[in-house]
Amino acid sequence: KGYAPLREKLTRFYQTITSEQIAVLNGGEESIYVTMRALLQPGDDVVVQMPIYQSLFVVAQEIGCRMIPYRPCFEQNWDFDLAALTQKITPKTKLLILNYPHNPTGACLTREDMAGIVKLCEQHDLYLIADEGYRFLQIDESYPTTSFADLYAKAVALGSFSKAFAAPGLRLGWIATQ
């Protein structure tokens, strides 16, 4: 699971996650690969926010999953649209992949958005990969810094030192999940 003192320090970023619910890996790439290999099977549908970090859809494609893009609209200022996302869910959808704060648009989720996402995932029994690499970089302090790992039992939050902490040379990432 990684260096125990580091995992203990990482718990400070969460409200409910313990050090036993964190695994430290060799950067974000390994976190993505390990998570997707654990969750996905060929033939699964995956709803993925676009644009997004390339590995977050390529790894699932290589496993043999069908990718269903969810694209927030420029005309709506990139705001999250739960109704549009809901339309993307199929009976074969196993995983939802989101990135907030979003790169490259900078869009953030409200508490209501997060609650809606959790409810949607619960209703459809979906796993959620939350790329939280830019967490803590919200310009507007009214947006929550809450992790999906604290809100939903089947959420896997991906964290990294490279973005929010400006330390890409460390090559350290982590997974937090209940």
Side-chain angles (χ1 to χ4, degrees):
K1 290 189 174 187
Y3 187 56
L6 176 57
R7 289 188 293 120
E8 187 61 41
K9 297 265 189 212
L10 290 172
T11 63
R12 295 177 185 176
F13 298 146
Y14 303 94
Q15 298 166 9
T16 63
I17 298 295
T18 68
S19 63
E20 290 301 311
Q21 295 170 311
I22 295 174
V24 177
L25 297 142
N26 184 18
E29 289 287 338
E30 187 176 31
S31 299
I32 294 165
Y33 184 82
V34 167
T35 300
M36 289 194 182
R37 283 292 177 184
L39 297 179
L40 297 173
Q41 298 293 322
D44 289 337
D45 283 356
V46 176
V47 176
V48 60
Q49 179 183 16
M50 296 298 272
I52 202 160
Y53 187 63
Q54 185 176 10
S55 294
L56 285 166
F57 64 89
V58 170
V59 173
Q61 282 179 319
E62 291 298 318
I63 291 170
C65 299
R66 181 172 77 119
M67 306 310 293
I68 301 169
Y70 158 69
R71 297 178 190 276
C73 295
F74 170 77
E75 293 79 17
Q76 295 175 341
N77 198 34
W78 305 112
D79 287 342
F80 177 73
D81 185 342
L82 183 61
L85 177 64
T86 301
Q87 292 176 356
K88 302 294 183 175
I89 306 298
T90 73
K92 292 179 67 178
T93 302
K94 186 170 186 180
L95 175 65
L96 170 62
I97 304 171
L98 297 174
N99 163 236
Y100 285 100
H102 186 252
N103 176 27
T105 67
C108 293
L109 296 172
T110 65
R111 291 185 200 313
E112 295 77 22
D113 293 335
M114 294 180 82
I117 292 165
V118 168
K119 184 176 179 182
L120 177 70
C121 288
E122 289 172 342
Q123 288 173 338
H124 295 277
D125 194 31
L126 302 178
Y127 286 98
L128 169 63
I129 291 181
D131 177 359
E132 297 179 350
Y134 290 92
R135 195 169 151 225
F136 308 118
L137 292 179
Q138 294 90 323
I139 293 173
D140 183 339
E141 292 182 15
S142 70
Y143 289 106
T145 58
T146 307
S147 172
F148 276 107
D150 287 316
L151 301 176
Y152 179 52
K154 292 179 78 172
V156 179
L158 306 178
S160 169
F161 286 98
S162 65
K163 308 293 188 298
F165 304 105
L170 287 179
R171 300 291 307 144
L172 283 175
W174 68 90
I175 299 167
T177 186
Q178 294 179 33

